[in-house]
Amino acid sequence: MPEGDSVYRTAADLHTALAGQVLTVADLRVPAHATADLTGRTVLDVTPRGKHLLTRLEGGLTLHTHLRMDGRWAVHRPGERWSGGPAWQIRAVLGTGRATAVGYRLPVVELLRTAEEQRAVGHLGPDLLGPGWDPAEAVRRLRALPERPLAEALLDQRNLAGIGNVYAAELCFLAGRTPWTPVGELPAPERLVDRARQLLEANKLRPGHVTTGDTRPGHQHWVYGRAGRPCPRCGTAVLTARVGTPPQDRVAYWCPYCQRGPAPQGTPRPITAARPARGGGGRRPGR
């Protein structure tokens, strides 16, 4: 599932392409809205809300879409060949005289009254990239279930909106805690919430979800996607396991040396490299 910063970039691309333009093409290829006629309406704005996209139209209508695992919006110029996938995967087309936005594999395509947007996104916690970001409320929601595993709590969009599996893994590393650490054992959750905001802000206009400060391929993350490879800080092999309850479980990545706390039964003891990684000095984060 895309991270909140990826959805933010998608919204920015759609807004640039469509906002202020009159729809000359509007094709919603889902049974509930297949007969809806949106042509002639002006696109007012495209706004991200966590991992949701809200395309607001003249006349008090909003097209609510969600990418989930495989969805994608692609923007094409007039005459440009559509390249986001086969035609049978297209779920929505919004076209103006300037550009055409094509939504592929969208699992959520919902047309609703703008005044009723809360029905679609009202359950979400504070939006990490939203104008109404409320860190105190995010911390309060995280603390509401102190026994909940940290990674699972971070992934719950009802706590704070915008964190996906990449940032959940990286934030646990930066906090020096395993993904299974109970939220109530985190000494300063407000620091973690602030770090989450900083990371998404830093990455919202660039690809890669960089958390290390190093944009080179293979160096962008501390533990995410590095299963079996050395931790960049201490050299210990990064481990993986599942966190959460199926079907909402996710793959967790962690360094068994740098991160304190519980781990799945049978986790091997850390074997560190002969020399410390650059800048690491063998010190665990958060200590």
Side-chain angles (χ1 to χ4, degrees):
M1 188 176 292
E3 307 288 325
D5 52 3
S6 297
V7 176
Y8 184 96
R9 286 194 302 277
T10 296
D13 291 343
L14 291 173
H15 184 86
T16 299
L18 302 176
Q21 302 293 304
V22 175
L23 290 177
T24 56
V25 177
D27 185 6
L28 305 182
R29 302 182 185 180
V30 295
H33 305 300
T35 61
D37 184 9
L38 303 177
T39 57
R41 295 177 185 263
T42 299
V43 178
L44 302 180
D45 64 75
V46 182
T47 299
R49 179 71 173 88
K51 298 185 181 185
H52 299 251
L53 289 163
L54 302 172
T55 302
R56 298 182 178 121
L57 308 172
E58 180 186 22
L61 291 179
T62 294
L63 179 63
H64 166 229
T65 59
H66 197 298
L67 306 181
R68 289 192 181 162
M69 294 297 292
D70 301 315
R72 176 193 174 195
W73 277 100
V75 176
H76 302 282
R77 298 304 172 194
E80 189 177 36
R81 182 177 179 180
W82 298 359
S83 57
W88 61 268
Q89 292 183 345
I90 296 173
R91 297 292 178 267
V93 181
L94 300 176
T96 71
R98 188 170 66 184
T100 300
V102 185
Y104 293 89
R105 301 172 298 279
L106 300 174
V108 176
V109 178
E110 178 186 21
L111 191 62
L112 66 158
R113 303 296 302 181
T114 301
E116 298 175 352
E117 286 179 356
Q118 286 298 96
R119 180 165 59 83
V121 297
H123 66 287
L124 299 174
D127 188 344
L128 283 156
L129 293 177
W133 167 241
D134 186 345
E137 175 62 14
V139 170
R140 186 193 69 79
R141 293 189 181 209
L142 284 172
R143 282 176 164 163
L145 293 174
E147 72 283 358
R148 197 174 191 189
L150 178 57
E152 190 177 334
L154 289 172
L155 288 166
D156 190 337
Q157 302 301 294
R158 295 170 298 181
N159 290 332
L160 60 170
I163 292 178
N165 212 32
V166 176
Y167 286 120
E170 297 295 281
L171 286 165
C172 287
F173 177 87
L174 292 168
R177 302 287 175 152
T178 68
W180 299 271
T181 300
V183 172
E185 294 183 9
L186 199 64
E190 62 278 0
R191 290 172 54 190
L192 188 64
V193 165
D194 287 344
R195 179 64 63 86
R197 165 83 165 180
Q198 292 166 7
L199 289 177
L200 267 72
E201 278 286 344
N203 288 303
K204 69 182 183 182
L205 295 179
R206 67 181 180 189
H209 315 302
V210 179
T211 59
T212 60
D214 191 336
T215 59
R216 294 177 298 165
H219 298 266
Q220 297 168 324
H221 305 139
W222 293 105
V223 290
Y224 181 82
R226 297 184 61 87
R229 297 169 59 192
C231 166
R233 178 169 275 143
C234 72
T236 303
V238 172
L239 302 179
T240 64
R242 308 295 296 190
V243 62
T245 304
Q248 301 298 323
D249 57 325
R250 297 286 184 269
V251 177
Y253 298 84
W254 85 104
C255 171
Y257 179 80
C258 290
Q259 294 172 254
R260 293 178 292 175
Q265 193 171 16
T267 298
R269 298 181 63 184
I271 301 175
T272 55
R275 60 181 178 81
R278 59 176 180 79
R283 184 180 177 182
R284 303 187 186 191
R287 296 192 173 188

